[in-house]
Amino acid sequence: EVQLVESGGGSVQPGGSLRLSCAASGFTFSSYWMSWVRQAPGKGLEWVANIKRDGSEVYYVDSVKGRFTISRDNAEKSVSLQMNSLRAEDTAVYFCARGETIPTWDYWGQGTLVTVSS
Amino acid sequence: QSALTQPRSVSGSPGQSVTLSCTGTISNIGSYSYVSWFQQHPGKAPKLIIYGVTKRPSGVPDRFSGSKSGNTASLTISGLQAEDEAAYYCSSYAGYYTALFGGGTKVTVL
């Protein structure tokens, strides 16, 4: 059974940092792109970042470039999102998702809430 | 990177058909056959129901169908059922391994 389990969410002050992790199981992790997608409270979905199967290429939405870093460990079957210089507008539930292509995300985690507030 | 445009809400009676639109530009929907649709019930993770414009993942009822014309993609739900009441999001490849979502359409079953 394919499973994606996010962790690391919480409350942080503006300008602070958080590291989200997503543990994968039930599939050949290295065969899939991995992505982070977020959803602000009561709002729609927003794609945040992608990482290629072997981790050699990463891509970000403009609003997080220079602040967020996506990485993966294929041996550990995990993908992470390091979030620095957090802003109030980064407050959202963050989902990790797998995809054979973009945007064919066929499995999603349950999400982890990040709250940025003073 | 502007979001794709979706109507905020659509409603229909059980058994009816509803069609949801998703309008982009030549830079995204108009140039690629990588359009997906996701269904999201409150408090739940999104679920992929259409990918590659028209394809359905295993287990998704054939009541759900997708299409595209020019810069606009569409999702049709035929034979609307109570459990179809949810938010629906379109997403398109936007080049350079990036993606865009629409703002979402809330489907209400009357």
Side-chain angles (χ1 to χ4, degrees), chain B:
Chain B
Q1 293 176 323
S2 300
L4 308 174
T5 300
Q6 296 184 250
R8 296 199 68 165
S9 63
V10 166
S11 61
S13 299
Q16 285 187 331
S17 293
V18 295
T19 297
L20 286 58
S21 63
C22 172
T23 301
T25 69
I26 191 65
S27 298
N28 39 71
I29 292 177
S31 291
Y32 305 103
S33 292
Y34 292 108
V35 176
S36 296
W37 290 88
F38 300 89
Q39 177 192 63
Q40 188 180 35
H41 289 105
K44 301 294 188 182
K47 174 187 176 182
L48 179 68
I49 57 172
I50 294 289
Y51 67 98
V53 179
T54 61
K55 302 179 179 68
R56 277 189 314 277
S58 174
V60 174
D62 60 6
R63 302 184 291 104
F64 294 92
S65 62
S67 63
K68 188 185 85 162
S69 178
N71 298 335
T72 298
S74 299
L75 172 72
T76 297
I77 310 174
S78 305
L80 200 61
Q81 298 184 6
E83 60 261 36
D84 298 334
E85 186 161 296
Y88 291 81
Y89 295 91
C90 61
S91 182
S92 173
Y93 183 70
Y96 300 102
Y97 299 101
T98 65
L100 285 173
F101 279 97
T105 297
K106 175 70 167 69
V107 171
T108 300
V109 181
L110 301 172

Side-chain angles (χ1 to χ4, degrees), chain A residues 33 37 39 43-47 50 52 57 59-63 65 95 101-106 108-111, chain B residues 1 34-36 38 40 43-48 51-52 57 89 91-94 96-104:
Chain A
W33 285 77
V37 174
Q39 186 168 35
K43 302 296 185 183
L45 300 171
E46 180 183 35
W47 166 74
N50 294 331
K52 200 176 180 181
E57 297 176 27
Y59 302 91
Y60 303 95
V61 67
D62 285 348
S63 60
K65 283 180 182 176
F95 297 98
T101 61
I102 306 303
T104 308
W105 298 295
D106 59 350
W108 297 62
Q110 83 288 353
Chain B
Q1 293 176 323
Y34 292 108
V35 176
S36 296
F38 300 89
Q40 188 180 35
K44 301 294 188 182
K47 174 187 176 182
L48 179 68
Y51 67 98
Y89 295 91
S91 182
S92 173
Y93 183 70
Y96 300 102
Y97 299 101
T98 65
L100 285 173
F101 279 97

Side-chain angles (χ1 to χ4, degrees), chain A residues 20-77:
Chain A
L20 306 183
S21 295
C22 173
S25 61
F27 65 100
T28 304
F29 183 71
S30 58
S31 297
Y32 291 85
W33 285 77
M34 295 301 296
S35 303
W36 288 94
V37 174
R38 66 184 177 183
Q39 186 168 35
K43 302 296 185 183
L45 300 171
E46 180 183 35
W47 166 74
V48 174
N50 294 331
I51 186 165
K52 200 176 180 181
R53 297 171 184 85
D54 61 359
S56 61
E57 297 176 27
V58 296
Y59 302 91
Y60 303 95
V61 67
D62 285 348
S63 60
V64 309
K65 283 180 182 176
R67 301 188 299 122
F68 289 12
T69 302
I70 187 173
S71 60
R72 67 188 295 161
D73 185 331
N74 284 347
E76 294 294 322
K77 298 184 180 181

